[in-house]
Amino acid sequence: MPRLVTLAAAQLGPIQKAEGRDVAVGRMVRLMERAHKRGVEVVVFPELALTTFFPRWYEEDISRADHWYEHAMPSNETAPLFEAARKYGIGFHLGYAEKTPDGHRYNTAIYVHPSGEVVLKYRKVHLPGHRDFDPIRKVQHLEKRYFEVGNLGFPVIRAPVGGQEANIGMMICNDRRWPEAWREMGLQQVEIVMLGYNTPSLNMDNRGFEAHHLRVEHSHLSIRSGCYQNACFGVATAKGGTEDGHELFGHSIIVNPQGEIMAQATSWGDELITADCDLDDCNLGRTTIFNFAAHRRTEAYQRITTQTGSEAPPVWKPGQG
Ligand code: CDT
């Protein structure tokens, strides 16, 4: 008997700076309604799904940025998502900016069971960009200003997903580019990685040339290799389109444990892509080429956890053997 679950990436088109949460939540509820009609059991929404991608906007006094954060989950504004989950019997993944009661700020994602209970929370570990205004950049990317590094590690939990029990984990946007994040979850036998992202179509660092077409390629490459090397499914959901003149590239995908793209968004707007996923497909990789217990060699991996930056290698000299 296959362990089938129907998963969806619920891509969101742009959310403008002036738009309130009610606009985003209304669109998300409509996507959940469509998901229900298509037999979907879990929808994955993007990173920072309730607002525009606000880390592009510099605020000298961070307390003046408080309106971008959720101070409670659910809240009056996000309650319709939880109601839709109950009504349609759908679990959902939501990315949002979290401000805790004791004043900490995180880039956070939760997975919510159809009952409305939060099953799993993750706080983004790899925060890209910078803390202070950077005059060289074409557009600011101030995640290091607005968020602390996540303090929950990369948790995986076994929980009901549709009609199945599944090992689920989460990462957020830039995390997908780091093999360490995938492997942390692979080592916990993750079967479904849910991940949301907001990625500009162009390199805004202004520090060198990057061909435009490679932006999507690098995103897909990272997700496909993460899924393949850790024998898991990935549901990677973008925010796409143009937010106040700033373009995000969309291209949401669902990937299987062979690293194949099962479904891909073709618009840069609100779009639902779905895939029927047999969780037992994780077994092949996990018991053969990526049987970690049989083949990993931790004694050769010391640098991975003891060294952060790269170091130049010794220089070979003729005659040294
Ligand atoms: N949101 C996010 O993490 N975006 C980054 C853009 C990096 S540019 C500073 C990403 O890795 O897609």
Side-chain angles (χ1 to χ4, degrees):
M1 276 285 283
R3 292 169 61 220
L4 274 178
V5 291
T6 303
L7 305 177
Q11 178 174 288
L12 289 176
I15 301 173
Q16 308 307 327
K17 196 179 180 191
E19 286 179 315
R21 284 166 181 69
D22 54 326
V23 176
V25 168
R27 286 163 49 186
M28 292 161 81
V29 168
R30 284 194 287 283
L31 283 164
M32 289 172 86
E33 192 181 318
R34 272 162 56 194
H36 171 65
K37 287 184 182 146
R38 285 162 63 173
V40 169
E41 295 167 286
V42 171
V43 296
V44 175
F45 290 115
E47 173 191 37
L48 301 177
L50 300 167
T51 65
T52 197
F53 187 71
F54 68 88
R56 70 169 69 92
W57 303 109
Y58 179 76
E59 195 67 73
E60 177 70 32
D61 175 2
I62 194 169
S63 68
R64 294 189 57 191
D66 266 357
H67 61 286
W68 297 119
Y69 297 81
E70 308 309 308
H71 301 256
M73 187 58 69
S75 60
N76 289 342
E77 287 153 313
T78 52
L81 297 171
F82 290 73
E83 284 156 21
R86 275 189 283 270
K87 180 172 170 190
Y88 299 128
I90 289 179
F92 71 95
H93 162 285
L94 174 71
Y96 62 98
E98 174 190 17
K99 185 163 179 205
T100 66
D102 54 351
H104 295 281
R105 299 161 198 269
Y106 299 103
N107 188 339
T108 295
I110 49 173
Y111 175 65
V112 181
H113 183 266
S115 66
E117 195 172 335
V118 174
V119 173
L120 187 63
K121 177 182 274 195
Y122 168 68
R123 291 173 173 149
K124 187 173 182 177
V125 167
H126 298 100
L127 297 172
H130 46 107
R131 191 177 313 279
D132 299 314
F133 188 87
D134 182 348
I136 294 178
R137 292 186 59 94
K138 293 182 205 159
V139 177
Q140 302 299 298
H141 194 110
L142 292 152
E143 286 197 58
K144 283 184 162 63
R145 182 176 196 81
Y146 289 122
F147 304 117
E148 292 174 44
V149 173
N151 59 354
L152 302 175
F154 289 97
V156 173
I157 196 163
R158 190 165 184 83
V161 174
Q164 307 295 338
E165 295 278 312
N167 302 343
I168 57 173
M170 295 183 281
M171 57 175 70
I172 302 179
C173 196
N174 190 261
D175 288 324
R176 72 196 188 283
R177 305 184 194 274
W178 298 92
E180 296 89 338
W182 290 95
R183 186 49 48 89
E184 276 289 318
M185 289 196 276
L187 285 165
Q188 299 170 75
Q189 299 181 1
V190 72
E191 292 172 316
I192 303 171
V193 172
M194 305 179 191
L195 90 98
Y197 62 95
N198 282 263
T199 304
S201 298
L202 302 176
N203 185 319
M204 293 295 168
D205 283 300
N206 215 16
R207 286 174 168 87
F209 174 72
E210 182 181 36
H212 301 170
H213 70 281
L214 294 178
R215 301 285 286 178
V216 173
E217 180 72 15
H218 290 159
S219 177
H220 286 185
L221 184 66
S222 303
I223 297 161
R224 294 180 61 193
S225 56
C227 288
Y228 166 62
Q229 291 169 349
N230 295 282
C232 61
F233 289 88
V235 184
T237 310
K239 181 121 66 64
T242 305
E243 293 188 338
D244 298 285
H246 304 287
E247 200 178 270
L248 302 165
F249 65 53
H251 283 83
S252 303
I253 49 173
I254 302 176
V255 175
N256 72 16
Q258 298 284 354
E260 290 173 300
I261 295 178
M262 304 173 78
Q264 177 171 320
T266 53
S267 76
W268 284 12
D270 293 3
E271 180 178 346
L272 196 72
I273 58 166
T274 68
D276 294 329
C277 303
D278 180 358
L279 301 177
D280 280 343
D281 287 350
C282 301
N283 294 341
L284 178 65
R286 191 159 292 158
T287 55
T288 58
I289 194 151
F290 295 116
N291 177 340
F292 294 159
H295 305 307
R296 289 183 80 242
R297 297 265 55 110
T298 53
E299 72 277 12
Y301 306 153
Q302 297 310 303
R303 288 181 194 272
I304 298 285
T305 54
T306 57
Q307 183 180 324
T308 306
S310 64
E311 286 174 5
V315 177
W316 178 81
K317 294 189 183 69
Q320 87 179 22

